[in-house]
């Protein structure tokens, strides 16, 4: 089933076994969802924690071949006045205008985010994936203000639309790294992006 809530002045807690989807808009309070599938979160004045350990894919067995048959769920998250934490397996996330810290672990789905300079001072942004893609777009002000570190084991790092210079790179048998800080200082980066074999893309808005 699907739950839609709008204009709520209360904290929201949703618990499911992977069968509930939800859409929230104009929430004045914290949001916590465990096992529920988010469709949209917009205008939340509070911290958000989303924990979804389930795959939403269907399974098809045909001629001794087992495969997933549906695409990852689409989730839009925007205008969050608070921190955002997401732990999931295969959502396709579109995230923008989060005013606090962001921590997203999206193991197999794609994550796309826009970071502006409107975030509170000292905010940190962490993105992790196994095989999913991570795409980050920075406003010009955010690019001037924030340092970036990007790591992948056997994926790719694409920074063609980010900077012409000032990119520090290294690679060895265990890691590929690129960023605006040297590798020995990369843990201090404001924006940290890590994948095992997923593609990383970073760009600056025109």
């Amino acid at each position: 089933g699907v739950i839609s809530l709008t204009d709520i002045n209360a904290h929201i807690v949703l618990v499911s076994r992977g069968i509930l989807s939800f859409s929230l808009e104009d929430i004045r309070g914290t949001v916590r969802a465990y096992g529920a599938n988010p469709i949209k979160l917009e205008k939340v004045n509070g911290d958000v924690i989303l924990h979804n350990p389930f795959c939403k894919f269907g399974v098809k067995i045909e001629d001794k071949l087992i495969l997933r048959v549906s695409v990852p769920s689409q989730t839009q998250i925007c205008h969050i006045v608070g921190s955002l934490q997401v732990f999931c397996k295969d959502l396709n996330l579109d995230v923008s205008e989060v005013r606090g810290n962001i921590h997203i672990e999206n193991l197999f789905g794609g994550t796309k985010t826009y970071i502006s300079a409107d975030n509170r001072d000292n905010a940190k942004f962490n993105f992790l994936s196994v095989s999913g893609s991570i795409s980050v777009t920075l406003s010009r002000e955010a690019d001037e203000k924030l340092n970036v570190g990007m790591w992948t084991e056997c994926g790719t790092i694409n920074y063609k639309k980010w900077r012409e210079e000032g990119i520090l790179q290294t690679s060895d048998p265990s890691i590929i790294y690129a960023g605006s800080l040297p590798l020995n200082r990369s843990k201090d980066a404001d924006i940290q992006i890590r994948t095992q074999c997923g593609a990383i893309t970073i760009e600056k808005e025109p």
Side-chain angles (χ1 to χ4, degrees):
V2 178
I3 291 178
S4 295
L5 299 175
T6 303
D7 192 15
I8 301 294
N9 186 21
H11 301 304
I12 305 294
V13 178
L14 298 171
V15 180
S16 175
R17 293 285 300 173
I19 59 175
L20 175 69
S21 297
F22 66 93
S23 177
L24 305 178
E25 184 174 355
D26 196 10
I27 306 299
R28 295 173 295 283
T30 59
V31 174
R32 288 171 171 79
Y34 302 91
N37 180 45
I39 299 172
K40 182 175 75 170
L41 285 86
E42 184 173 357
K43 297 180 182 178
V44 178
N45 192 354
D47 296 335
V48 174
I49 298 176
L50 306 177
H51 192 289
N52 189 347
F54 303 108
C55 288
K56 291 294 289 183
F57 289 178
V59 175
K60 181 178 181 180
I61 302 175
E62 184 177 88
D63 194 22
K64 298 184 180 180
L65 176 67
I66 305 174
L67 70 156
R68 298 287 189 183
V69 294
S70 61
V71 299
S73 302
Q74 302 290 324
T75 300
Q76 181 182 359
I77 302 173
C78 60
H79 301 294
I80 308 299
V81 184
S83 64
L84 171 66
Q85 297 181 57
V86 181
F87 305 90
C88 61
K89 283 191 174 180
D90 57 12
L91 298 178
N92 273 342
L93 299 172
D94 190 341
V95 179
S96 62
E97 305 300 337
V98 177
R99 295 293 299 274
N101 296 329
I102 297 177
H103 183 97
I104 295 177
E105 298 184 27
N106 188 8
L107 299 185
F108 312 118
T111 300
K112 179 181 178 182
T113 188
Y114 173 79
I115 297 175
S116 71
D118 292 334
N119 294 79
R120 70 176 185 228
D121 292 340
N122 302 317
K124 297 295 184 180
F125 311 90
N126 294 292
F127 305 92
L128 297 93
S129 179
V130 175
S131 60
S133 63
I134 301 175
S135 177
V136 175
T137 300
L138 303 176
S139 70
R140 289 183 174 272
E141 294 80 5
D143 181 53
E144 294 174 357
K145 178 181 177 183
L146 303 173
N147 285 309
V148 178
M150 299 173 285
W151 300 258
T152 185
E153 293 183 32
C154 55
T156 60
I157 300 176
N158 182 344
Y159 57 87
K160 293 179 182 178
K161 297 182 179 180
W162 181 32
R163 293 182 177 178
E164 295 291 333
E165 55 187 22
I167 307 299
L168 300 168
Q169 309 166 54
T170 186
S171 63
D172 61 37
S174 62
I175 199 71
I176 300 171
Y177 171 78
S180 55
L181 292 176
L183 182 60
N184 62 353
R185 292 179 50 215
S186 59
K187 291 185 179 180
D188 296 327
D190 306 293
I191 301 171
Q192 301 188 17
I193 308 169
R194 292 179 171 86
T195 72
Q196 290 186 20
C197 59
I200 297 172
T201 301
I202 187 167
E203 60 183 41
K204 179 171 58 179
E205 70 178 357

